[in-house]
Amino acid sequence: MTSEITLFVNPTAGRGRGARAAQPAASALRAAGFSVRTVLGEDAADALTRARAAVEGGTGALIAVGGDGMANLALRAVAGTRTPLGLVAVGTGNDFARALGLPVREPAAAGRMIADALKCGRIRDIDLGQVGDRWFGTVLASGFDSRVNDRGNRMRWPAGRFKYDLAMIAELAAFRPVPYRIRLDDGEVREVEATLVAVGNGSSYGGGMRICPGADLTDGLFDITVVGDCSRTTLLRVFPRVYRGTHAEHPAVTVLRAARVEIAAEGITGYADGEPLGALPLSARCVRGGVRVVGP
């Protein structure tokens, strides 16, 4: 492996933490003997073009500095290649870094761990989700949770996670279960009334909400969590349990497994790694060993 590696930086992640995190991460990598170059961009498209150029140029690793959105963008540069991905997680959610066992909001520690892993060859293949030409590492969300995202993204105030807390309260007042059509692998279409359907390559989203608690990054399968037709009162009781993953034990919750899944519902947007994919219907497949990652 070449000793030159690339930091892929989102300077706005976590309200500026991305820019502040790049320096201690780079210092830790340089102290370990690596030559570090930094890739920024005028916008996401420009940043992705530069990251892809670094990968095609033979960089030893692409290290994304930011949150899950930045990790998702980095996947588009490294998926399907032999270039390993590392994460310096300083965003709001950081669920992909958690899944990989990497430090969260500790850029110097993350830099040291990545440097040690690269030197010792602690690089492994994990699965990815793919929808069209888009990749995701954690969860494809649709339903109540994606409508919270929709509403939160439209709100100009307040900033940070509190905005999404308010959006959740507003959606609780307005939301009704939606008719879904779900097809697993080559099976028959299932028609269900559901509050949400989450397709998990990883187990969590939203900063530690373990919506798909049994998801395994190396089994070649998605865990698909279906929260069925339930009242607002039931949803209020069940949803807080998602942080422990015990919501899956509730009778309103069904967990399915498949390598491919098609989901369709009217008026619902799909989000993967917190980034909008577009309106349903969407078809996702689990790609075994889709990316190499650096980790503990």
Side-chain angles (χ1 to χ4, degrees):
M1 176 186 296
T2 176
S3 63
E4 182 183 293
I5 58 179
T6 302
L7 278 187
F8 187 38
V9 181
N10 178 2
T12 64
R15 288 179 285 178
R17 283 193 296 268
R20 295 191 297 271
Q23 185 171 350
S27 295
L29 289 160
R30 290 189 177 106
F34 289 95
S35 172
V36 180
R37 63 182 293 252
T38 300
V39 167
L40 296 168
E42 295 178 2
D43 52 30
D46 181 54
L48 179 58
T49 297
R50 293 170 186 260
R52 283 174 168 160
V55 170
E56 291 167 3
T59 187
L62 186 69
I63 313 300
V65 183
D68 284 328
M70 194 62 175
N72 183 268
L73 193 62
L75 285 176
R76 298 170 69 179
V78 298
T81 76
R82 299 306 293 166
T83 301
L85 173 68
L87 301 177
V88 177
V90 291
T92 302
N94 306 310
D95 289 284
F96 199 18
R98 286 189 180 89
L100 299 180
L102 290 165
V104 170
R105 296 183 185 169
E106 298 181 61
R112 289 191 297 270
M113 182 178 286
I114 290 167
D116 184 63
L118 288 170
K119 284 188 165 186
C120 297
R122 290 197 303 274
I123 298 170
R124 59 192 172 112
D125 293 338
I126 65 165
D127 304 337
L128 288 180
Q130 186 178 30
V131 178
D133 63 352
R134 296 283 296 275
W135 300 90
F136 65 94
T138 57
V139 176
L140 190 168
S142 73
F144 172 75
D145 43 9
S146 65
R147 284 192 167 173
V148 169
N149 255 328
D150 284 341
R151 185 181 290 268
N153 290 343
R154 293 193 301 267
M155 293 167 63
R156 295 175 179 266
W157 181 91
R161 293 197 61 172
F162 186 52
K163 174 170 66 175
Y164 293 94
D165 292 339
L166 290 179
M168 182 178 292
I169 292 169
E171 283 300 322
L172 274 171
F175 191 79
R176 299 291 183 275
V178 172
Y180 272 85
R181 297 179 302 282
I182 304 171
R183 183 177 184 183
L184 306 180
D185 295 323
D186 294 320
E188 296 183 354
V189 173
R190 307 177 185 210
E191 296 188 359
V192 298
E193 293 279 329
T195 301
L196 66 84
V197 177
V199 179
N201 182 53
S203 62
S204 72
Y205 64 180
M209 293 191 290
R210 301 182 65 233
I211 189 67
C212 300
D216 183 338
L217 290 170
T218 60
D219 65 355
L221 296 172
F222 292 128
D223 275 31
I224 300 120
T225 298
V226 181
V227 179
D229 184 351
C230 59
S231 67
R232 284 194 294 273
T233 301
T234 300
L235 188 60
L236 280 168
R237 284 203 306 267
V238 172
F239 210 74
R241 294 167 57 179
V242 77
Y243 286 97
R244 301 188 304 276
T246 57
H247 65 289
E249 301 165 6
H250 193 278
V253 178
T254 303
V255 178
L256 310 167
R257 290 187 172 87
R260 289 182 290 115
V261 58
E262 300 172 20
I263 51 176
E266 294 293 330
I268 299 293
T269 302
Y271 283 78
D273 293 341
E275 300 297 306
L277 287 177
L280 271 55
L282 291 171
S283 178
R285 70 184 185 109
C286 185
V287 179
R288 187 183 287 272
V291 68
R292 305 182 81 201
V293 294
V294 181

